[in-house]
Amino acid sequence: MPTVRTTMQPHIKLEVGDAEYLDLQRQGLLLEDTPAAAPAAAPAKTVPAAAAKSKEN
């Protein structure tokens, strides 16, 4: 019996039979059990060259 998480209750793991698993999969209701990726770092702010020069003066 596969253990799955659904889009309806993602915090609950359910044991389902093979037929039920296929039905849930066909309907797109299963969540993939992939490890959560680390959030991407925000891109660094870039300062235009003209603005950088004016701050130096």
Side-chain angles (χ1 to χ4, degrees), residues 2-53:
T3 301
V4 299
R5 292 185 305 130
T6 65
T7 58
M8 298 165 289
Q9 295 177 329
H11 58 284
I12 299 174
K13 291 185 179 183
L14 303 170
E15 285 191 18
V16 296
D18 293 334
E20 189 175 13
Y21 176 85
L22 289 174
D23 288 341
L24 291 169
Q25 188 178 37
R26 284 187 203 121
Q27 295 173 35
L29 299 175
L30 295 179
L31 288 179
E32 297 294 323
D33 277 340
T34 56
K45 290 186 178 181
T46 57
V47 178
K53 286 183 182 180

